[in-house]
């Protein structure tokens, strides 16, 4: 067993210096979740290089700076009920679970995460079991563009695949006072949007950085798999 803790600390320090990590809660979460456990064995030695890595089926685990940035923008809090669309490896779900459910045991939140590719959902479940985050994360197989009405409304929604537009069901399933982070654009380039629903249910949208994600495929996303 290789100990990656020094590499993890170095990467997190770099993300703090670059101004990507700005809060103690995100710093603590990125230091706590072992990214190497969410990366296929053959890529493990690159787990702490700040890049996306392949996880099979044409999909990727996002780069650590993108996970940190999206988590900062989402601003999850202990006790929150979170919906993630695009489970992939399960790493982002574990980072969210660390904040909403693990850092403050008196306020147990939960993360529901949806993946459309069954083999990846299984990969994520195994990774979450090995790291014990499965206690705070439920993985659902399905089309996440339709959300997961069973547990709505959500305090926070994070989409980790590129959408052509903000899926209407996700707006409906966001709590008043809630927040969603989603990459929206074309298949070559997107922009991170921060969607806020105020206490009266009014929607406001702010734009953040440009980014590049694999497509969100489904009823309220792209209509076909271009891979
Ligand atoms: N959050 C992931 C992680 O931490 O490893 C990385 C997500 S990867 C960039 C995008 C994922 O979204 C892929 O696994 C892809 O299969 C999934 N995806 C695409 N469209 C989807 C949909 N409609 N519903 C659920 N998952 C979807």
């Amino acid at each position: 067993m290789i100990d990656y803790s020094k590499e993890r600390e170095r990467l997190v320090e770099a993300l703090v210096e670059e101004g990507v990590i700005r809060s103690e809660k995100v710093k603590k979460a990125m230091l706590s979740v072992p990214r190497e456990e969410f990366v296929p064995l053959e890529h493990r030695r690159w787990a702490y290089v700040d890049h996306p890595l392949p996880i099979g089926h044409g999909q990727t685990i996002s780069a650590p700076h993108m996970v940190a940035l999206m988590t900062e923008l989402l601003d999850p809090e202990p006790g929150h009920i979170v919906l993630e669309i695009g489970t992939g490896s399960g790493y982002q779900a574990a980072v969210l679970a660390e904040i909403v459910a693990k850092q403050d045991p008196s306020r147990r939140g939960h993360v529901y995460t949806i993946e459309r590719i069954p083999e990846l959902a299984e990969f994520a479940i195994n990774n979450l079991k090995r790291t014990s985050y499965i206690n705070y994360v439920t993985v659902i197989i399905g089309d996440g563009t339709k959300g997961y009405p069973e547990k709505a409304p959500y305090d926070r929604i994070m989409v980790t695949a590129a959408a052509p537009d903000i899926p209407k069901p996700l707006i409906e399933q966001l709590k008043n006072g809630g927040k969603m982070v989603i990459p929206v654009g074309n298949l070559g380039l997107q922009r991170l949007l921060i969607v806020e629903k105020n206490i009266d249910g009014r929607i406001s949208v702010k734009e953040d950085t440009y980014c590049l994600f694999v497509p969100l495929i489904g009823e309220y996303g792209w209509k076909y798999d271009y891979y």
Side-chain angles (χ1 to χ4, degrees):
M1 274 282 274
I2 301 170
D3 180 7
Y4 286 94
S5 52
K6 285 276 167 286
E7 286 187 51
R8 193 178 314 125
E9 279 167 29
R10 269 198 295 272
L11 175 66
V12 170
E13 278 317 315
L15 293 174
V16 170
E17 268 171 42
E18 289 162 23
V20 178
I21 294 179
R22 301 184 282 259
S23 66
E24 261 319 300
K25 63 184 171 189
V26 175
K27 181 177 176 187
K28 202 169 158 204
M30 297 290 291
L31 281 173
S32 303
V33 182
R35 188 172 188 255
E36 69 274 15
E37 294 292 341
F38 294 84
V39 164
L41 262 182
E42 65 269 31
H43 303 309
R44 223 164 241 201
R45 71 197 130 130
W46 292 299
Y48 293 99
V49 177
D50 193 8
H51 275 293
L53 289 169
I55 54 173
H57 305 273
Q59 308 302 320
T60 53
I61 173 173
S62 303
H65 74 268
M66 190 49 69
V67 172
L69 173 64
M70 289 179 83
T71 310
E72 287 285 5
L73 294 174
L74 194 71
D75 192 24
E77 286 170 17
H80 272 172
I81 303 300
V82 180
L83 177 67
E84 184 203 19
I85 316 301
T87 315
S89 68
Y91 176 67
Q92 174 74 74
V95 169
L96 293 169
E98 181 65 37
I99 297 173
V100 302
K102 210 175 164 198
Q103 285 183 3
D104 179 355
S106 70
R107 300 177 66 207
R108 279 284 158 88
H110 199 83
V111 178
Y112 296 89
T113 179
I114 312 182
E115 173 55 54
R116 66 181 278 271
I117 300 174
E119 292 85 348
L120 283 181
E122 200 187 322
F123 174 60
I125 288 169
N126 287 334
N127 299 338
L128 291 161
K129 277 187 182 159
R130 251 195 341 277
T131 53
S132 299
Y133 284 100
I134 197 72
N135 297 327
Y136 320 108
V137 178
T138 304
V139 180
I140 299 127
I141 299 170
D143 175 6
T145 67
K146 296 194 262 188
Y148 188 56
E150 287 86 339
K151 298 290 174 184
Y154 299 97
D155 297 291
R156 298 287 186 266
I157 299 179
M158 182 186 284
V159 181
T160 60
D165 222 327
I166 307 165
K168 204 165 154 254
L170 299 186
I171 296 178
E172 287 163 1
Q173 290 171 35
L174 190 61
K175 211 179 247 182
N176 285 7
K179 197 185 271 198
M180 165 165 39
V181 173
I182 176 169
V184 172
N186 58 45
L187 292 179
L189 189 65
Q190 305 96 38
R191 195 121 193 218
L192 278 185
L193 301 186
I194 303 134
V195 181
E196 286 183 86
K197 196 186 247 188
N198 76 8
I199 41 166
D200 304 320
R202 261 201 308 275
I203 299 294
S204 64
V205 180
K206 283 187 220 133
E207 292 180 331
D208 203 87
T209 186
Y210 286 95
C211 54
L212 183 57
F213 277 84
V214 294
L216 180 75
I217 294 159
E219 191 173 329
Y220 297 88
W222 297 99
K223 292 291 177 291
Y224 59 93
D225 195 337
Y226 81 108
Y227 282 99

